[in-house]
Amino acid sequence: MNPQDIRQYGDELYEALVARRAVAPLTERQPEITLDDAYRIQLRMIERRLASGETIIGKKIGVTSKAVQDMLKVYQPDFGQLTSAMVYHEGQPIPVDTLIAPKAEAEVAFILKADLNGPGITAADVLRATDFVLPCFEIVDSRIRDWKIKIQDTVADNASCGVFVLGGTPRSLRGFDLSVAGMVVEKNGDIVSTSAGASVQGSPVNAVAWLANTLGALGIPLKAGEVILSGSQSPLMPVIAGDSFTCSVGGLGGCSVRFI
């Protein structure tokens, strides 16, 4: 794909974000689009966000669990950039009309205290570099019409990033095995999902190592202080005004979010 097309699609996705309107899938219009093309489109979209005054505060890993892969028919992880405009505080309601087609997913967030420069990063390196972890909700959103996405579409669309909420009490990973930590997710008071950390690449720690190595091969480090969303442990749950969600993770506490 030529640089002009990369720029055009990145601008289109940024403008769709701002206008809160969906666009036709890129893979329908450019069937030959590659993953490399898609990540370059993502970078253009992020460039526009930074030019508007946002800052990069972390990264997210997407499409890590079988439940989400099956739902989206996307069978490999991807990554996106987290910006300062995506942060909501627990207890702060999220207006659904600021998004297009939001879906909630529960996961574990890592806060780093040291850089991770891949490739060659192991799970042990991730444990050493992590300051603490927290339960969280990511509210994914797609600028692609009707969520009709292939892996290239969601990658170009910044891994379908929407907004996120961190909850719980900071917990060190020292002596704590995330792979066996159970998670219960409730929607409007009803249990909709149960899982363990092992549902995400065997452990959320492994997912973060994958991200560090994947980005490291591109010359991009994970930096101290960044928030890393490690991938959903729940199915994607559609959101409408009035909905509320809670997730509880054994050893980490809970996180809640509501929509207006």
Side-chain angles (χ1 to χ4, degrees):
M1 187 177 287
N2 64 53
Q4 183 178 350
D5 287 342
I6 296 290
R7 186 180 185 92
Q8 174 188 327
Y9 285 125
D11 288 345
E12 180 183 11
L13 287 168
Y14 173 74
E15 288 156 11
L17 167 77
V18 173
R20 297 190 295 278
R21 58 173 174 78
V23 301
L26 275 56
T27 50
E28 288 183 1
R29 293 179 278 165
Q30 291 269 7
E32 73 282 3
I33 186 173
T34 67
L35 265 181
D36 181 64
D37 294 331
Y39 277 117
R40 288 193 291 152
I41 292 168
Q42 179 190 123
L43 290 175
R44 173 58 184 171
M45 184 188 186
I46 292 298
E47 186 178 88
R48 291 290 305 274
R49 296 190 73 155
L50 298 182
S52 74
E54 299 178 39
T55 57
I56 299 293
I57 61 169
K59 311 288 188 295
K60 69 154 281 186
I61 311 165
V63 203
T64 51
S65 70
K66 188 175 186 302
V68 173
Q69 289 177 351
D70 288 345
M71 180 177 292
L72 297 180
K73 295 181 173 57
V74 170
Y75 299 106
Q76 64 188 95
D78 63 10
F79 64 83
Q81 311 274 350
L82 302 179
T83 77
S84 52
M86 298 177 183
V87 180
Y88 275 81
H89 301 291
E90 194 171 21
Q92 181 183 8
I94 299 175
V96 294
D97 63 3
T98 61
L99 301 164
I100 299 170
K103 299 176 186 288
E105 57 183 28
E107 53 196 278
V108 174
F110 288 62
I111 313 300
L112 300 182
K113 62 182 178 182
D115 293 356
L116 285 169
N117 290 288
I121 295 297
T122 66
D125 295 325
V126 173
L127 294 174
R128 285 191 290 268
T130 299
D131 192 6
F132 57 87
V133 291
L134 295 165
C136 73
F137 275 103
E138 182 187 358
I139 315 307
V140 293
D141 196 25
S142 183
R143 274 61 62 176
I144 305 298
R145 188 175 300 134
D146 300 325
W147 279 93
K148 291 182 177 178
I149 57 173
K150 295 181 179 179
I151 185 69
Q152 296 95 326
D153 294 296
T154 185
V155 164
D157 190 26
N158 195 31
S160 304
C161 281
V163 297
F164 68 94
V165 181
L166 303 179
T169 302
R171 166 69 192 259
S172 167
L173 285 176
R174 181 168 298 184
F176 184 60
D177 186 353
L178 272 178
S179 68
V180 296
M183 175 185 284
V184 178
V185 181
E186 297 182 19
K187 177 179 181 179
N188 301 329
D190 295 324
I191 294 176
V192 293
S193 173
T194 60
S195 65
S199 64
V200 175
Q201 306 288 294
S203 169
V205 174
N206 296 336
V208 176
W210 171 86
L211 179 65
N213 290 324
T214 300
L215 286 179
L218 301 174
I220 304 171
L222 303 185
K223 297 180 180 179
E226 286 194 326
V227 179
I228 309 298
L229 303 188
S230 62
S232 179
Q233 290 181 217
S234 72
L236 294 178
M237 299 169 285
V239 168
I240 60 173
D243 282 342
S244 62
F245 296 81
T246 62
C247 73
S248 301
V249 182
L252 295 185
C255 182
S256 62
V257 60
R258 64 187 180 92
F259 298 86
I260 57 173

